[in-house]
Amino acid sequence: MANLELLKKTATQVRRDIIRMVSKAASGHPGGSLGCTEFFTALYFEIMNHDTSFSMEAKGEDVFYLSNGHISPVWYSVLARSGYFPVEELATFRCIDSRLQGHPTTHEGLPGVRIASGSLGQGLSVAIGHALAKKADGDDQLIYALTGDGELQEGQIWEALMFAAHYKVDNLIVTVDWNGQQIDGANDDVLSLGDLEGKWKSFGWEVVHLKDGNDMEQVLTTLQEAKALTGKGKPIVVLMQTEMGYGVDFMQGTHKWHGKAPNAEQTETALAQLEETLGDYPF
Amino acid sequence: MLSNINSKGKKATRDGFGAGIYEAAQKNPNIFALCADLVGSLKLNDFIGDYPERFIQVGIAEANMMGIAAGLATAGKIPYTTTFANFSTGRVYDQIRQSIAYSHKNVKICASHAGVTLGEDGATHQILEDLGLMKMLPGMTVINPCDYEQTRLATMAIAEHNGPVYLRFGRPSWPMFTEGMPFEIGKALKMNDGKDVSIFATGHLVWKAVEAAKQLEAEGISCELINIHTIKPLDEEAVLASVAKTKCAVVAEEHNVLGGLGESIAGLLARKNPTPIEFVAVQDTFGESGKVPDLIAKYGLDTVNVVDAVRKVLARK
């Protein structure tokens, strides 16, 4: 296993990046980004076999698709800190002429991004398409995808679930960011997801639980476990329980910071809780 | 020469698609076909018979089909999605917009049963808005071929074009009259030189325009007949050159008058060379069940409608 301490330090810096990006842009989605920081850090710094020189087709490497595109800050930070583009570019998030659009896109040619996402429910289908291509090419690398939990309310998701099981797309690991929150409140109040595990299972997926998606060690162990389940005839889902806004006390566990930027004072309070471990980018 | 343009039997444009995708697949191993439970209607049986490993049956799940196509394209494949035009466009507009057009994926959206010539199934399936929907998407190439052979050639040509394409064709058996004529994406096909009026026609209505032009020529009205198979990018040069000569235009299409080829040409001429134009198109209404000839007559898409439009526009010159 990689240096756990270094991964944790990286995650803390990623959280600082998220707060600073969203604060400077005075817009963006800190809640889900902070909740998924361990996942992204583990994926890009430990789990995935990927090449930061970036080719769209990604032959011979693992590929990640972000379906819930609004948590772009965490992805951009991890992409930059992995070496896909200069960390300084994070300062341009959501600004005019930036490659770091509010929601991720290929349109401005940002390395690391292979599809636009933001309108929800579409990324899983795209990930399946790429997984099928890898199988056709005899490429044994894996496809990873992340969806939100509220996003599962979209009908296209269930089309994709049915398809992936029918065609035994077993080179695909989907993770659900299961924080129980969405814009208008708790999932259970807005539109209950019901028996999430039972739903995925009955659609023919292998279900893996990740009880604390904000515990780096658990994230690593569970993703390795999921990897070991690939190639066995079933698509795999990791139901990852996270806390929205994790790491910043006043943002934690509430939907209120889903899509809201902190003001100057709140930014200062948040950053005081997150040690600068790898060096801030300038702005 | 109009006298050389004759129907050499009838076949459906969708048959041209079936033949074209089969030939394209023979040449290019990256071509995949996806279908949402309409294999017979889309004439995919030859393709599936010889290339089963490159065929993906997605079931009745068009949104998922568009996403899967985008993923295949990301990996370097050339996916052709196939279903009826209605389910290829309006039903999945946002999937096309985000995952294909905005993401600039090399996906070929192939749509059969467009327009009222779908016939008896009625308005739920007779989309008349698809050209407008698709041409509004930045970077989307929109092609509406007129007969079997042109559809076959277009189906092969789009494999060589890098970028998203909407290819629209139809259900009915239709006159075949373009054999031996060239096809190039974005290049209008002049079928007859004329001096009195320019007739710009697309899809099934090209044949109606041929019939109308013959009738008018017999009366001494010289029609320049231009087949606009590529709605976008529009061959502006060809349109402007023709109108500079004839000073008036008729546009004929099996589409709502709003959003179709007519508006593209009107917009161009308004900017570059204001000219009287008449439109043969569906007048902002839905279709209905019926036999193809009855529908064409009722919705004003027949030879007589093209003839009338020419007379009207000549009077406005």
Side-chain angles (χ1 to χ4, degrees):
Chain A
M1 182 168 293
N3 185 335
L4 189 62
E5 284 315 304
L6 180 59
L7 286 173
K8 285 181 179 175
K9 275 186 179 172
T10 305
T12 304
Q13 185 66 47
V14 168
R15 285 199 163 90
R16 281 186 70 84
D17 291 349
I18 293 166
I19 295 296
R20 296 176 79 238
M21 288 163 75
V22 170
S23 173
K24 177 167 185 256
S27 73
H29 298 78
S33 295
L34 292 167
C36 289
T37 300
E38 277 75 20
F39 171 78
F40 274 87
T41 307
L43 203 61
Y44 275 84
F45 289 92
E46 175 64 16
I47 300 291
M48 282 206 307
N49 159 38
H50 63 109
D51 183 353
T52 57
S53 64
F54 187 64
S55 82
M56 183 58 84
E57 297 186 4
K59 296 201 188 297
E61 57 175 314
D62 293 335
V63 176
F64 171 72
Y65 283 101
L66 177 65
S67 190
N68 48 332
H70 57 275
I71 66 166
S72 58
V74 62
W75 196 19
Y76 291 154
S77 166
V78 167
L79 285 174
R81 298 215 173 253
S82 308
Y84 280 90
F85 55 85
V87 176
E88 293 72 30
E89 204 170 333
L90 295 176
T92 70
F93 175 61
R94 286 183 171 245
C95 295
I96 195 81
D97 293 332
S98 173
R99 298 197 291 179
L100 278 60
Q101 291 291 297
H103 293 81
T105 169
T106 58
H107 199 256
E108 278 73 29
L110 186 69
V113 179
R114 293 188 171 85
I115 196 86
S117 62
S119 177
L120 295 171
Q122 300 185 27
L124 194 41
S125 304
V126 178
I128 290 169
H130 205 145
L132 292 175
K134 283 217 179 284
K135 278 181 178 274
D137 290 342
D139 179 343
D140 63 359
Q141 300 299 295
L142 301 176
I143 304 291
Y144 292 85
L146 181 69
T147 77
D149 49 4
E151 181 176 9
L152 302 181
Q153 291 158 0
E154 293 281 7
Q156 187 181 344
I157 290 281
W158 304 95
E159 295 182 4
L161 255 64
M162 212 183 297
F163 181 98
H166 180 87
Y167 285 101
K168 300 182 168 54
V169 186
D170 58 4
N171 54 344
L172 171 68
I173 300 175
V174 173
T175 298
V176 177
D177 176 20
W178 194 4
N179 59 29
Q181 307 286 333
Q182 56 192 104
I183 296 178
D184 280 351
N187 298 150
D188 284 343
D189 294 331
V190 176
L191 186 66
S192 175
L193 303 173
D195 175 10
L196 204 49
E197 179 174 357
K199 282 192 166 89
W200 285 84
K201 273 194 174 154
S202 71
F203 272 75
W205 285 57
E206 191 70 57
V207 179
V208 178
H209 265 290
L210 174 44
K211 288 201 168 42
D212 186 354
N214 298 121
D215 179 315
M216 185 64 84
E217 211 167 346
Q218 266 191 51
V219 172
L220 289 169
T221 312
T222 310
L223 288 177
Q224 294 290 7
E225 187 190 329
K227 255 172 108 162
L229 290 168
T230 57
K232 298 186 193 303
K234 281 185 172 188
I236 295 141
V237 63
V238 177
L239 298 179
M240 177 176 76
Q241 288 177 267
T242 65
E243 209 168 337
M244 210 178 209
Y246 188 86
V248 176
D249 58 7
F250 63 91
M251 291 185 172
Q252 214 158 309
T254 167
H255 67 275
K256 292 187 177 136
W257 292 90
H258 164 88
K260 187 177 132 182
N263 63 26
E265 193 185 327
Q266 289 162 333
T267 300
E268 209 174 304
T269 310
L271 292 178
Q273 298 170 30
L274 302 164
E275 189 192 346
E276 183 180 347
T277 53
L278 305 179
D280 285 341
Y281 61 87
F283 67 75
Chain B
M1 284 286 287
L2 275 177
S3 56
N4 296 335
I5 307 174
N6 294 301
S7 173
K8 299 179 178 68
K10 284 183 171 186
K11 270 189 190 176
T13 49
R14 59 182 165 139
D15 286 304
F17 170 73
I21 192 171
Y22 181 79
E23 283 180 61
Q26 279 181 314
K27 287 185 195 155
N28 191 332
N30 281 322
I31 289 175
F32 278 64
L34 295 83
C35 189
D37 199 29
L38 286 169
V39 160
S41 296
L42 269 294
K43 304 295 176 188
L44 286 171
N45 289 322
D46 288 347
F47 180 101
I48 296 168
D50 280 8
Y51 306 106
E53 72 288 353
R54 288 195 265 149
F55 171 69
I56 302 171
Q57 169 64 267
V58 299
I60 310 166
E62 294 83 5
N64 191 40
M65 175 165 73
M66 293 303 167
I68 289 175
L72 285 164
T74 304
K77 307 301 180 193
I78 308 173
Y80 283 54
T81 68
T82 69
T83 181
F84 290 168
N86 192 40
F87 313 137
S88 294
T89 56
R91 187 177 181 95
V92 289
Y93 197 64
D94 187 49
Q95 284 77 15
I96 294 173
R97 181 178 181 276
Q98 175 172 283
S99 293
I100 296 174
Y102 184 41
S103 296
H104 198 71
K105 295 302 176 193
N106 193 21
V107 174
K108 315 304 171 186
I109 301 162
C110 302
S112 186
H113 293 53
V116 292
T117 55
L118 168 139
E120 292 81 351
D121 277 349
T124 54
H125 289 50
Q126 292 164 334
I127 194 160
L128 293 162
E129 309 90 49
D130 55 326
L131 294 177
L133 286 169
M134 290 298 116
K135 80 177 188 186
M136 280 197 293
L137 291 170
M140 183 67 72
T141 294
V142 180
I143 302 173
N144 184 28
C146 64
D147 72 348
Y148 173 94
E149 181 63 4
Q150 195 171 71
T151 309
R152 190 181 71 86
L153 294 177
T155 303
M156 291 192 289
I158 60 178
E160 310 294 321
H161 169 88
N162 183 25
V165 173
Y166 178 63
L167 179 67
R168 177 207 220 218
F169 43 92
R171 172 172 184 258
S173 216
W174 206 254
M176 297 189 286
F177 55 97
T178 67
E179 206 181 304
M181 295 183 192
F183 176 85
E184 189 184 330
I185 295 172
K187 185 125 184 75
L189 178 64
K190 191 193 279 187
M191 303 186 79
N192 190 51
D193 277 308
K195 57 180 175 44
D196 296 330
V197 59
S198 301
I199 305 177
F200 301 106
T202 190
H204 288 138
L205 262 59
V206 177
W207 177 249
K208 297 295 179 188
V210 169
E211 289 185 325
K214 284 183 176 179
Q215 207 174 307
L216 290 158
E217 292 254 335
E219 296 175 19
I221 298 168
S222 165
C223 301
E224 180 136 303
L225 178 56
I226 297 185
N227 170 202
I228 309 279
H229 48 68
T230 306
I231 308 291
K232 183 186 170 184
L234 183 63
D235 188 345
E236 300 193 348
E237 212 175 298
V239 173
L240 292 170
S242 180
V243 166
K245 185 168 56 171
T246 64
K247 312 277 194 269
C248 69
V250 165
V251 185
E253 59 189 320
E254 187 187 357
H255 191 270
N256 193 346
V257 68
L258 303 179
L261 173 64
E263 281 195 349
S264 291
I265 288 180
L268 170 70
L269 294 178
R271 288 191 300 277
K272 300 279 178 67
N273 183 9
T275 306
I277 316 174
E278 290 295 328
F279 304 95
V280 177
V282 175
Q283 298 302 309
D284 197 21
T285 180
F286 292 104
E288 66 180 81
S289 293
K291 301 257 176 253
V292 171
D294 295 338
L295 288 161
I296 285 176
K298 178 164 177 177
Y299 288 88
L301 305 174
D302 221 336
T303 308
V304 64
N305 303 104
V306 181
V307 169
D308 287 349
V310 168
R311 294 195 206 289
K312 207 167 159 190
V313 84
L314 285 173
R316 292 173 56 201
K317 258 172 100 167

